[in-house]
Amino acid sequence: MATSASIARVIGEEVLDSRGNPTVQVTVVLDDDSLAHATVPSGASTGESEAIELRDGDRQRYGGKGVLNAVRHVNELIGPALMGLLADDQWRIDAVLIELDGTDFKSRLGANATLGASLACARAAAQACRLPLFRYLGGDEARVLPTPMLTVMDGGIHGNDGPDLQEFMLVPVGAPTFREALRFGVETYHALRDLLVERHTSTNVGDEGGFVPALSSNRAALDLVMQAIERAGYRPGEDISLAIDFAATGLWRDGRYRLSREGRDYSADEMVGLCREWGEQYPLVSVEDPLRDNDWGGYAQLTRELGDRMQIAGDDLFVSNRPFLVKGIAQGCCNCVVIKPNQVGTVTETLNTARMALAAGYSCMVAHRSGETEDTSIADLAVALNCGQIKAGAPARGERVAKYNRLLTIEARLGERAQYAGRAAFQRRR
Ligand code: PGA
Ligand code: ZN
């Protein structure tokens, strides 16, 4: 599976993400003429300790969001440093990037610059080896198609005037294949749209393609999604379960969590209570970031109380960063880590965090960002890890659907060897 092709050119460019914000695209050309691009996504509800996304800050361009400096780092610093390295020596490539940057959170080069280069090298090497990316990264064992977590309602900062909670997701645990899981999800998404039309509620969508209805409470959002599942002819909990990303750091006001749709503030204990209550009343298999991102003690308690009943996923808490995950494992925080390559800035660090999590009995949810691109690498990453979960937004909007379409292709390519994760992805090992 090795290639002797080496890196000949590394080209950075400024392109746009799905919100119309600038982002970094990197093209890597090898000396055997293999060529690949990678484009970096961008979050909005970012964790405090995420690797630094370098923005120009020049308000004359894109309100300060330009990435020309990060692009210059790719062209003038990263390119020369990687030139001549073997393309399939990902560990070495990423070690060079980490050393060249020299900071804890990629603040010199920018994680948008380093991830773009790192991922484009992986993609180019896969090309040179004539292997699909999932196979190149995961080897012959890579064959588990992840259970999709399909965001059908957007709230928080991804959907103004919608629910307080950021993402309400469908999890087609009972589907026999990925292709069928996607159909379950799409049909329910369309049924939800019909319900909103009947109620004369807006069918506008948020950043991740989920609907953003103005409802009286977050519970009303859950009820509506449940109704949509039934309207589409599926059994809640049997065919399709639910997941929520609270993105609770964004709810934190004056020492409490403000759910303005419910018209009240919640303490950390009350947030745990809410998770418990909803876990009893709805087929809720996963809650992500139900507490703010520095409440390690709160997470440990939440995991003790509810960790045997539902998946507790840490996104802003772990920021895909191995040392944070190690701290979480030691303290018993969460039982799942959300994996977003741009939170940490290289392919190797991303894989290391995910593999550490799996080794410790945590589950891994590979995830998109709210500002996405046409790049589908996370679909391959989820299969490479055999981790069984991917969160890539609604089954609508090109940049979201691209990931799901890539998984359809991977499933077809694997043929009989493909295995759909389904409910097993949520069976806790810890
Ligand atoms: P973000 O949101 O990409 O805006 O950070 C996604 C998430 O919180 O999971
Ligand atoms: Zn999240």
Side-chain angles (χ1 to χ4, degrees):
M1 196 180 84
T3 169
S4 55
S6 61
I7 298 169
R9 288 185 71 196
V10 180
I11 306 148
E13 285 170 89
E14 184 185 66
V15 298
L16 297 180
D17 74 10
S18 57
R19 277 192 282 247
N21 290 326
T23 190
V24 177
Q25 177 166 287
V26 179
T27 304
V28 165
V29 186
L30 306 184
D31 64 358
D32 71 351
D33 289 336
S34 301
L35 172 153
H37 312 285
T39 318
V40 180
S42 171
S45 66
T46 48
E48 191 180 308
S49 303
E50 287 195 23
I52 305 298
E53 176 183 76
L54 199 64
R55 299 269 177 202
D56 298 335
D58 166 11
R59 301 201 64 83
Q60 306 290 322
R61 296 185 73 252
Y62 296 110
K65 291 190 170 170
V67 292
L68 295 180
N69 286 319
V71 164
R72 190 167 46 75
H73 293 164
V74 172
N75 291 323
E76 295 178 10
L77 300 174
I78 292 176
L82 297 185
M83 213 72 81
L85 293 186
L86 284 180
D88 67 353
D89 198 351
Q90 190 71 39
W91 185 89
R92 174 113 183 265
I93 290 165
D94 291 338
V96 167
L97 291 171
I98 291 164
E99 198 185 321
L100 187 64
D101 174 76
T103 70
D104 286 344
F105 295 100
K106 312 282 188 303
S107 57
R108 177 167 176 244
L109 297 176
N112 39 359
T114 59
L115 179 68
S118 175
L119 193 53
C121 286
R123 297 186 66 93
Q127 284 268 326
C129 296
R130 308 262 180 276
L131 288 173
L133 185 63
F134 73 91
R135 193 57 133 21
Y136 173 73
L137 293 175
D140 197 37
E141 293 305 304
R143 61 196 184 93
V144 175
L145 270 293
T147 305
M149 329 260 293
L150 301 135
T151 314
V152 291
M153 240 189 248
D154 282 6
I157 60 170
H158 294 167
N160 287 343
D161 303 327
D164 300 293
L165 308 185
Q166 185 173 281
E167 294 156 29
F168 293 85
M169 290 168 272
L170 302 173
V171 191
V173 291
T177 61
F178 177 80
R179 178 171 292 274
E180 284 293 272
L182 196 56
R183 183 173 66 84
F184 286 18
V186 168
E187 289 173 2
T188 304
Y189 179 78
H190 291 160
L192 178 58
R193 189 178 192 286
D194 292 344
L195 280 169
L196 294 171
V197 169
E198 283 165 22
R199 295 166 56 121
H200 306 290
T201 311
S202 161
T203 55
N204 289 344
V205 299
D207 287 357
E208 297 181 346
F211 298 112
V212 188
L215 302 170
S216 56
S217 67
N218 292 284
R219 181 186 286 277
L222 282 168
D223 289 334
L224 207 54
V225 174
M226 291 286 282
Q227 246 181 295
I229 294 172
E230 283 172 351
R231 159 84 71 117
Y234 296 106
R235 296 161 299 171
E238 302 284 320
D239 302 315
I240 304 180
S241 293
L242 302 180
I244 299 175
D245 183 357
F246 284 68
T249 301
L251 304 171
W252 188 249
R253 304 272 182 289
D254 306 324
R256 290 170 76 82
Y257 297 95
R258 176 156 308 157
L259 268 57
S260 40
R261 290 280 166 201
E262 324 288 323
R264 57 166 289 202
D265 293 344
Y266 290 71
S267 67
D269 279 348
E270 288 168 334
M271 291 296 272
V272 176
L274 202 59
C275 292
R276 178 184 294 110
E277 195 180 309
W278 286 353
E280 284 161 4
Q281 293 163 0
Y282 300 95
L284 188 59
V285 289
S286 176
V287 292
E288 178 179 336
D289 286 358
L291 298 173
R292 71 203 162 99
D293 60 5
N294 51 13
D295 189 3
W296 294 87
Y299 271 105
Q301 192 193 331
L302 169 69
T303 309
R304 271 196 306 278
E305 288 185 25
L306 298 181
D308 58 346
R309 271 185 244 179
M310 58 178 75
Q311 172 170 286
I312 297 160
D315 172 13
D316 293 350
L317 185 72
F318 298 135
V319 289
S320 306
N321 189 314
R322 196 167 182 270
F324 289 111
L325 175 65
V326 168
K327 176 176 171 181
I329 293 169
Q331 297 189 13
C333 301
C334 303
N335 50 30
C336 172
V337 57
V338 177
I339 294 289
K340 298 171 169 173
N342 82 319
Q343 284 181 325
V344 63
T346 63
V347 171
T348 300
E349 287 165 287
T350 304
L351 292 172
N352 283 348
T353 304
R355 289 185 175 138
M356 163 102 229
L358 294 170
Y362 277 52
S363 47
C364 282
M365 182 199 303
V366 174
H368 66 156
R369 302 309 304 252
S370 51
E372 260 299 333
T373 75
E374 312 89 305
D375 192 301
T376 57
S377 304
I378 59 163
D380 286 72
L381 178 63
V383 179
L385 288 168
N386 277 334
C387 67
Q389 298 184 35
I390 192 167
K391 173 173 96 159
R397 308 290 134 179
E399 76 284 1
R400 313 292 148 186
V401 166
K403 280 66 165 175
Y404 298 128
N405 284 345
R406 171 69 185 151
L407 288 165
L408 290 175
T409 302
I410 294 174
E411 185 171 57
R413 180 168 183 143
L414 283 167
E416 302 248 292
R417 299 189 62 236
Q419 191 186 319
Y420 174 60
R423 191 180 303 281
F426 299 92
Q427 268 151 14
R428 272 163 298 288
R429 298 177 300 131
R430 188 185 170 93

